[in-house]
Amino acid sequence: MILIYTHHITTRVLYAMDVVFNTVLQTEYKLTDNKEEFEGDNKCKIAYTKMDDGFSVFIKSDDLLFESDIDTKTIEVDNEYLDFPKFFKSNTQDFLGYDLFAMVFYFATRYEEYLKSELDEHQRFQAENSLAFQNSCLQIPFLNLAIQQFGDKLKQQFPSLNFNNRNFNYLSTIDVDNAFAYAHKGLKRNLGGLVKDVFNLRLRQVAQRIMSNLNDKKDPYNTFKYINSLSDETQTALQYFVLIGDYSTYDKNPHYNKVGFRKLLKGLSNQHEMGLHPSYESFNDLEKIEIEKKRLEDIIEKKVTSVRCHFLRIKLSETYRAFIKAGITDDYTMIYASQSGFRTGLCTPFPWFDLERNEITTLTIHPSTIMEGTLRDYNGYTSEHANSTIHNLLSEVKKQGGEFVSVWHNDSFVPEQAEWMEVYKNLLQISKI
């Protein structure tokens, strides 16, 4: 048991301590603002406060965890580092030289994203505007690393301390933005597409469209049997996230009442976990999340408790509150579209903190690490560069005993994407090493 003294116990302090000690180090702690109790105890003790009063372990606190508002911060950072930059650098000699708890809180809560920096065309916070990207640590689970080093240093000070080791876990996730290229899309959509294909002499697409509508197993995007076989062969945990929203510019799955679509989803859900892929339009119409969740539950006849938003569109804090209201317990949206790595600085699941309400919530955030569209479309990587990037990120997560979550799409398993199918297969293989 670790006893921690602070001059004022706030929800922010509790949250930061929970992430450090419960989530990552997996050890018990007790928080007190009673100095006499603290001084009279002979356990492992940490003082997290403004002034050093001769404490054996003193971490000078920044004001961040004792505030209740959200303001632009000037964050001192020691970025001449071998391992990771030390944010919230201390100007006095203390145990670490920086405020670990403020650093954990700032990045885990995505504090900087509430400040509404320049957004991209889909109203998403941009990776390139993040402190992690600007300080060259986005591809390092730097919060895990900082907490690990903190734990190691504590054990040097208190040899009787023991922390539980986390076990590495890999989860392959498949986003189903478009279950079929042609099948079950309805007469109007297919007829319009057919006319365009004929007019542009795309005879191969004409043939595929006709064959797919006669037998949906021949639809080029119906790659699920192959995806499932790879999972079975490598004994890899697999989860699907299904888009089931109404048709729109960016939401183009078949109508949820189409028999073939429903049959496909029911079959997949009998083999693997299935979550909701809230539609693009749900970003501005949060009521759609509950509607879409119920649609999927009715089809697969199971409770749906996990999500990843289509186009990775989340609106802090509104989207996450809508998830909680709808009965969602686990979110997998926390990854950037344009850059791979660790958006929160963490590679372990952790509770979401509602920064606007200063509340610890029941929603668990699962940081995703890699997406094929990022490497292929945003970064323009070759397969060799992609394999190298994946290997490096996977190695970092393994070192921390973290959870590595990859994002692929079912339409990336077509012959035209053979190179990226090989990248995926390589990922499944090295995840077992």
Side-chain angles (χ1 to χ4, degrees), residues 167-178:
N167 295 320
F168 167 75
N169 176 52
Y170 169 53
L171 175 65
S172 168
T173 65
I174 306 294
D175 286 354
V176 186
D177 299 352
N178 221 343

Side-chain angles (χ1 to χ4, degrees), residues 62-95:
D62 186 84
D63 292 331
L64 179 64
L65 303 192
F66 305 97
E67 300 169 344
S68 59
D69 52 3
I70 306 171
D71 286 326
T72 302
K73 299 287 179 186
T74 300
I75 299 172
E76 289 193 57
V77 54
D78 182 355
N79 56 13
E80 294 183 5
Y81 62 91
L82 296 174
D83 39 23
F84 60 91
K86 279 70 173 178
F87 297 93
F88 293 91
K89 180 181 177 182
S90 175
N91 56 13
T92 61
Q93 292 296 317
D94 63 1
F95 190 65

Side-chain angles (χ1 to χ4, degrees), residues 245-402:
D246 297 327
Y247 181 82
S248 73
T249 303
Y250 295 104
D251 301 315
K252 296 188 176 181
N253 246 335
H255 191 277
Y256 66 93
N257 274 333
K258 290 291 182 180
V259 174
F261 187 35
R262 296 171 73 91
K263 182 180 178 181
L264 170 71
L265 299 186
K266 178 64 175 172
L268 290 176
S269 71
N270 288 336
Q271 300 172 72
H272 297 285
E273 291 294 319
M274 183 168 286
L276 179 69
H277 203 37
S279 64
Y280 188 95
E281 295 300 320
S282 72
F283 179 82
N284 287 318
D285 188 353
L286 296 174
E287 291 184 0
K288 288 182 179 291
I289 293 170
E290 285 196 70
I291 293 170
E292 293 168 14
K293 176 176 178 285
K294 187 176 186 307
R295 285 177 185 172
L296 186 57
E297 288 176 335
D298 288 346
I299 293 170
I300 67 175
E301 299 177 303
K302 293 179 181 178
K303 280 289 182 185
V304 172
T305 59
S306 59
V307 296
R308 177 186 292 118
C309 292
H310 191 32
F311 272 73
L312 306 174
R313 300 215 312 162
I314 52 173
K315 188 183 295 183
L316 296 172
S317 295
E318 294 94 325
T319 303
Y320 281 160
R321 288 178 193 157
F323 289 167
I324 294 170
K325 183 180 176 218
I328 296 297
T329 59
D330 297 84
D331 173 71
Y332 291 80
T333 308
M334 199 54 74
I335 181 175
Y336 290 122
S338 62
Q339 298 290 334
S340 303
F342 306 95
R343 182 168 175 171
T344 66
L346 287 163
C347 63
T348 46
F350 64 95
W352 174 59
F353 188 89
D354 188 332
L355 195 57
E356 292 176 338
R357 293 179 177 172
N358 282 298
E359 291 179 355
I360 301 170
T361 74
T362 57
L363 182 67
T364 298
I365 304 298
H366 296 259
S368 300
T369 310
I370 201 81
M371 182 170 68
E372 99 278 40
T374 303
L375 302 170
R376 181 189 62 209
D377 305 326
Y378 282 87
N379 302 151
Y381 285 177
T382 63
S383 58
E384 290 78 11
H385 195 170
N387 283 329
S388 175
T389 299
I390 291 171
H391 180 270
N392 291 338
L393 292 168
L394 188 62
S395 296
E396 291 289 342
V397 177
K398 285 182 177 180
K399 288 176 192 175
Q400 300 300 326

Side-chain angles (χ1 to χ4, degrees), residues 65-315:
L65 303 192
F66 305 97
E67 300 169 344
S68 59
D69 52 3
I70 306 171
D71 286 326
T72 302
K73 299 287 179 186
T74 300
I75 299 172
E76 289 193 57
V77 54
D78 182 355
N79 56 13
E80 294 183 5
Y81 62 91
L82 296 174
D83 39 23
F84 60 91
K86 279 70 173 178
F87 297 93
F88 293 91
K89 180 181 177 182
S90 175
N91 56 13
T92 61
Q93 292 296 317
D94 63 1
F95 190 65
L96 294 174
Y98 68 101
D99 185 343
L100 170 67
F101 302 110
M103 176 172 155
V104 166
F105 182 83
Y106 187 86
F107 286 98
T109 63
R110 304 309 305 132
Y111 194 108
E112 63 185 332
E113 298 193 31
Y114 285 83
L115 301 176
K116 303 299 181 188
S117 298
E118 183 182 350
L119 305 179
D120 72 6
E121 61 181 316
H122 301 293
Q123 293 82 53
R124 300 176 300 197
F125 179 81
Q126 299 181 83
E128 293 76 13
N129 288 335
S130 69
L131 273 177
F133 181 86
Q134 292 167 1
N135 286 275
S136 304
C137 61
L138 182 58
Q139 296 201 328
I140 308 166
F142 56 92
L143 292 187
N144 287 85
L145 189 52
I147 295 167
Q148 176 200 347
Q149 289 189 6
F150 170 59
D152 292 342
K153 194 168 183 179
L154 275 181
K155 284 196 284 188
Q156 292 175 7
Q157 188 90 358
F158 305 101
S160 62
L161 265 183
N162 281 308
F163 301 123
N164 294 319
N165 292 324
R166 297 186 61 90
N167 295 320
F168 167 75
N169 176 52
Y170 169 53
L171 175 65
S172 168
T173 65
I174 306 294
D175 286 354
V176 186
D177 299 352
N178 221 343
F180 301 100
Y182 308 112
H184 310 298
K185 294 294 183 72
L187 179 62
K188 183 178 179 180
R189 288 170 68 183
N190 266 299
L191 188 58
L194 182 63
V195 170
K196 288 180 181 178
D197 289 341
V198 171
F199 182 79
N200 291 289
L201 299 179
R202 293 192 291 252
L203 301 184
R204 182 169 174 269
Q205 283 92 322
V206 169
Q208 281 186 330
R209 187 181 296 276
I210 294 171
M211 291 174 61
S212 298
N213 277 282
L214 292 173
N215 182 356
D216 66 15
K217 289 183 174 58
K218 295 184 180 295
D219 190 284
Y221 289 179
N222 190 349
T223 57
F224 303 102
K225 183 177 179 180
Y226 179 66
I227 295 169
N228 289 346
S229 71
L230 293 178
S231 173
D232 293 341
E233 289 168 12
T234 57
Q235 295 185 316
T236 298
L238 177 65
Q239 181 164 349
Y240 289 100
F241 289 95
V242 178
L243 174 65
I244 201 162
D246 297 327
Y247 181 82
S248 73
T249 303
Y250 295 104
D251 301 315
K252 296 188 176 181
N253 246 335
H255 191 277
Y256 66 93
N257 274 333
K258 290 291 182 180
V259 174
F261 187 35
R262 296 171 73 91
K263 182 180 178 181
L264 170 71
L265 299 186
K266 178 64 175 172
L268 290 176
S269 71
N270 288 336
Q271 300 172 72
H272 297 285
E273 291 294 319
M274 183 168 286
L276 179 69
H277 203 37
S279 64
Y280 188 95
E281 295 300 320
S282 72
F283 179 82
N284 287 318
D285 188 353
L286 296 174
E287 291 184 0
K288 288 182 179 291
I289 293 170
E290 285 196 70
I291 293 170
E292 293 168 14
K293 176 176 178 285
K294 187 176 186 307
R295 285 177 185 172
L296 186 57
E297 288 176 335
D298 288 346
I299 293 170
I300 67 175
E301 299 177 303
K302 293 179 181 178
K303 280 289 182 185
V304 172
T305 59
S306 59
V307 296
R308 177 186 292 118
C309 292
H310 191 32
F311 272 73
L312 306 174
R313 300 215 312 162
I314 52 173
K315 188 183 295 183

